[in-house]
């Protein structure tokens, strides 16, 4: 899976917009949206919000967690804990990137938010490497990673699973295979 | 193009993958051995005589490729006996256990892990080196027959961190120095790590959302359209 495909999934998340046009309820295959009234907040998927924003048909309201104070708290918490802390959104990285790229005029202190989210990401990736290393060193065979987001898993996942695959083969080499006796001429 | 191409990967176990090009290259590597019985009319092939009728005398030293050694090796018939290559012997195993990161596995290998795994096929009790390897294992108190692949496993684990860090931190850098000392298997792993990093960085910079012509189409466009049609 590529990052663009992860982003594709992230675009299904709902955000609140304030439209400046009126439109009846629309019936999309994944659910009904609207009705849209000027000045009244309405929840729409991110892909639609970005499209409407680009057509200058709405104002975007940032998610509750996209706030400098809250993000600072999350970053400090992340640095303090040894394990992964729960993220405000399963797609925090994607939403930050999308919303800041297309609607930074609607998000107060956009630059600081970008830095904070990037810091959190870096902390988590460093932590991920550290835990992958100890996972491999102790030759564990299972792990529980509830608080990792899809983008994080996807960035290092292939590498880690391939390394574990090699390791598993090297380790099962030691066990006498049952099949080794079957072909005795 | 890379997505539509599915090469057969190396087997990395007791058995190679039949159609894996990596495994075919790996099984070409020479293995020191000794003829346990006379091999008539084969001296020419193994470069030990001139006449086609000359035979290889019993007990002569041989350097045979792994695939041939595997074919000739039989614990009952004893055509040849196989010795461990130098890097899988105890002296080198000690070096690996001291610090696996300092070893140039590409020079030693370049199929260190695959070759080491294949060596387990020659568990020949007459071979003093392998017997010693197995003895070491029972001395270690382990139930499993720990042989030289323990050492390659430990090597792999010890080198894992460095491969991960260098593959995921080196962005837009010249990585030839980093991969110069890696075994072929580790290189593949390094490439996977790099791809993950590069894909993510591309996405972050917004390059992933730009649609670009595939390299195939670009090369195609260099020729004139009339030439292509004709």
């Amino acid at each position: 899976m590529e990052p663009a495909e992860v982003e594709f999934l992230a675009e299904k998340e709902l955000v609140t917009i304030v439209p400046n046009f009126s439109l009846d309820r629309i019936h999309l295959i994944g659910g009904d949206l609207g009705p849209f009234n000027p000045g009244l907040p309405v929840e729409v998927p991110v892909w639609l919000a970005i499209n409407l924003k680009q057509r200058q048909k709405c104002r975007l309201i940032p998610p509750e967690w996209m706030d400098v104070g809250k993000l600072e708290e999350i970053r400090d918490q992340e640095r303090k804990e040894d394990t992964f802390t729960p993220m405000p959104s399963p797609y925090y990285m994607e939403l930050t990137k999308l919303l800041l790229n297309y609607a930074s005029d609607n998000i107060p202190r956009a630059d600081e938010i970008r830095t904070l989210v990037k810091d959190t990401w870096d902390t988590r990736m460093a932590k991920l490497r550290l835990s992958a290393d100890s996972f491999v060193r102790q030759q564990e065979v299972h792990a529980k990673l509830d608080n990792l987001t899809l983008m994080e898993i996807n960035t290092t996942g292939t590498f880690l699973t391939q390394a574990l695959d090699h390791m598993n083969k090297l380790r099962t080499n030691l066990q006498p295979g049952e099949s080794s006796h079957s072909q005795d001429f | 193009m890379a997505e539509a191409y599915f090469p057969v990967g190396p087997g990395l176990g007791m058995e190679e993958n039949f159609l894996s090009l990596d495994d075919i290259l790996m099984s070409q590597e020479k293995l020191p051995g000794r003829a346990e019985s006379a091999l008539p009319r084969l001296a020419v092939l193994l470069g030990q005589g001139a006449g086609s009728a000359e035979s290889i005398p019993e007990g002569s030293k041989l350097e045979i490729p792994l695939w041939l050694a595997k074919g000739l090796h039989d614990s009952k018939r004893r055509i040849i006996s196989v010795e461990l290559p130098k890097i899988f012997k105890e002296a080198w195993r000690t070096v690996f256990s001291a610090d696996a990161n300092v070893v140039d596995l590409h020079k030693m290998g370049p199929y260190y892990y695959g070759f080491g795994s294949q060596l387990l096929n020659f568990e020949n009790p007459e071979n003093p080196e392998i017997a010693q390897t197995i003895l070491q294992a029972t001395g270690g108190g382990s139930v499993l027959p720990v042989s030289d692949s323990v050492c390659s496993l430990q090597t792999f684990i010890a080198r894992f961190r460095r491969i991960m860090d260098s593959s995921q931190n080196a962005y837009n850098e010249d990585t030839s120095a980093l991969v110069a000392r890696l075994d072929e298997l580790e290189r593949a792993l390094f490439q996977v790590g790099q791809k993950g990093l590069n894909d993510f960085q591309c996405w972050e910079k917004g390059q992933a959302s730009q649609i670009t012509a595939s390299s195939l189409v670009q090369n195609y466009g260099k020729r004139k359209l009339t030439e292509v049609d004709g």
Side-chain angles (χ1 to χ4, degrees):
Chain A
M1 196 147 87
E2 283 179 20
E5 292 167 86
V6 182
E7 188 185 73
F8 177 79
L9 297 176
E11 283 172 347
K12 288 185 180 29
E13 291 286 295
L14 295 176
V15 286
T16 311
I17 58 164
V18 181
N20 56 16
F21 61 97
S22 52
L23 185 73
D24 269 346
R25 209 169 161 72
I26 50 172
H27 306 287
L28 299 185
I29 202 166
D32 294 352
L33 296 173
F36 298 89
N37 289 309
L40 283 185
V42 61
E43 277 208 329
V44 294
V46 171
W47 58 266
L48 184 62
I50 286 171
N51 186 274
L52 290 173
K53 174 75 192 164
Q54 282 177 324
R55 285 152 61 192
Q56 300 184 338
K57 295 216 177 286
C58 75
R59 182 163 60 82
L60 208 131
I61 296 181
E64 192 196 355
W65 54 267
M66 208 176 275
D67 168 76
V68 172
K70 287 212 175 80
L71 286 174
E72 264 171 0
E73 212 170 276
I74 288 168
R75 181 198 59 188
D76 294 341
Q77 181 74 11
E78 189 66 53
R79 285 185 179 166
K80 210 161 54 190
E81 299 267 333
D82 283 335
T83 53
F84 296 96
T85 55
M87 281 291 109
S89 156
Y91 299 103
Y92 73 98
M93 197 65 196
E94 298 88 315
L95 291 185
T96 313
K97 187 217 160 200
L98 286 169
L99 299 186
L100 289 184
N101 278 6
Y102 295 104
S104 56
D105 50 337
N106 294 152
I107 298 166
R109 301 162 82 181
D111 284 349
E112 285 171 66
I113 286 172
R114 207 187 282 270
T115 317
L116 283 169
V117 170
K118 185 79 187 135
D119 281 352
T120 316
W121 170 270
D122 287 343
T123 315
R124 286 169 72 86
M125 289 313 271
K127 218 185 254 187
L128 186 56
R129 274 200 283 276
L130 200 71
S131 53
D133 184 45
S134 62
F135 183 84
V136 165
R137 227 165 256 287
Q138 287 157 28
Q139 297 188 35
E140 301 281 357
V141 287
H142 55 84
K144 192 173 158 185
L145 296 159
D146 286 344
N147 294 326
L148 274 184
T149 66
L150 184 56
M151 189 58 104
E152 290 157 348
I153 294 173
N154 192 52
T155 313
T156 47
T158 332
F159 176 82
L160 188 61
T161 47
Q162 194 163 333
L164 292 178
D165 202 22
H166 291 331
M167 205 174 90
N168 186 41
K169 279 185 189 160
L170 288 176
R171 195 160 48 185
T172 45
N173 272 346
L174 307 176
Q175 283 149 14
E178 287 96 47
S179 58
S180 58
H181 308 291
S182 64
Q183 288 192 346
D184 228 349
F185 305 116
Chain B
M1 284 271 274
E3 296 90 7
Y5 172 56
F6 302 102
V8 179
L12 193 68
M14 292 284 267
E15 283 305 317
E16 309 123 297
N17 281 344
F18 188 75
L19 291 174
S20 162
L21 293 180
D22 272 332
D23 274 348
I24 293 172
L25 288 176
M26 181 267 289
S27 67
Q28 295 278 348
E29 299 218 5
K30 296 283 174 59
L31 202 59
R34 197 176 283 276
E36 291 283 311
S37 54
L39 305 169
R41 292 197 300 253
L42 284 174
V44 180
L45 293 179
L46 293 167
Q48 292 189 342
S52 62
E54 268 185 72
S55 65
I56 296 172
E58 187 184 334
S60 57
K61 277 193 170 182
L62 301 170
E63 283 269 310
I64 38 179
L66 175 71
W67 59 267
L68 187 57
K70 259 177 93 174
L72 293 177
H73 177 78
D74 189 329
S75 51
K76 287 179 200 135
R77 271 190 286 182
R78 282 202 259 132
I79 303 166
I80 52 158
S81 64
V82 172
E83 284 160 28
L84 286 177
K86 206 170 65 190
I87 52 160
F88 293 101
K89 282 188 183 166
E90 200 188 347
W92 268 102
R93 288 204 303 271
T94 323
V95 174
F96 280 114
S97 62
D99 187 1
N101 280 312
V102 298
V103 187
D104 185 344
L105 273 195
H106 197 254
K107 216 167 81 190
M108 300 285 153
Y111 298 101
Y112 174 79
Y113 299 107
F115 198 69
S117 303
Q118 286 294 309
L119 285 179
L120 300 176
N121 285 308
F122 305 108
E123 276 195 275
N124 189 342
E126 277 87 13
N127 189 325
E129 294 297 341
I130 294 183
Q132 195 198 353
T133 319
I134 297 167
L135 190 75
Q136 268 183 337
T138 40
S142 170
V143 190
L144 295 169
V146 184
S147 39
D148 38 341
S149 82
V150 173
C151 126
S152 61
L153 179 64
Q154 275 164 357
T155 310
F156 184 75
I157 291 171
R159 291 165 68 96
F160 170 75
R161 179 72 201 252
R162 229 182 55 168
I163 298 169
M164 178 169 63
D165 284 353
S166 57
S167 73
Q168 308 215 320
N169 281 325
Y171 180 58
N172 261 345
E173 275 177 39
D174 181 16
T175 52
S176 54
L178 292 170
V179 295
R181 292 154 67 88
L182 297 184
D183 163 71
E184 288 298 322
L185 184 91
E186 293 173 334
R187 285 189 180 186
L189 200 55
F190 184 90
Q191 291 307 329
V192 170
Q194 278 268 291
K195 188 180 180 300
L197 172 80
N198 283 333
D199 284 353
F200 176 74
Q201 298 281 352
C202 275
W203 169 78
E204 207 177 27
K205 288 193 294 189
Q207 285 169 352
S209 53
Q210 287 166 8
I211 297 172
T212 49
S214 87
S215 57
L216 204 66
V217 175
Q218 275 173 343
N219 290 335
Y220 199 65
K222 278 179 189 158
R223 280 184 283 168
K224 286 203 179 104
L225 264 175
T226 49
E227 268 175 54
V228 178
D229 288 338

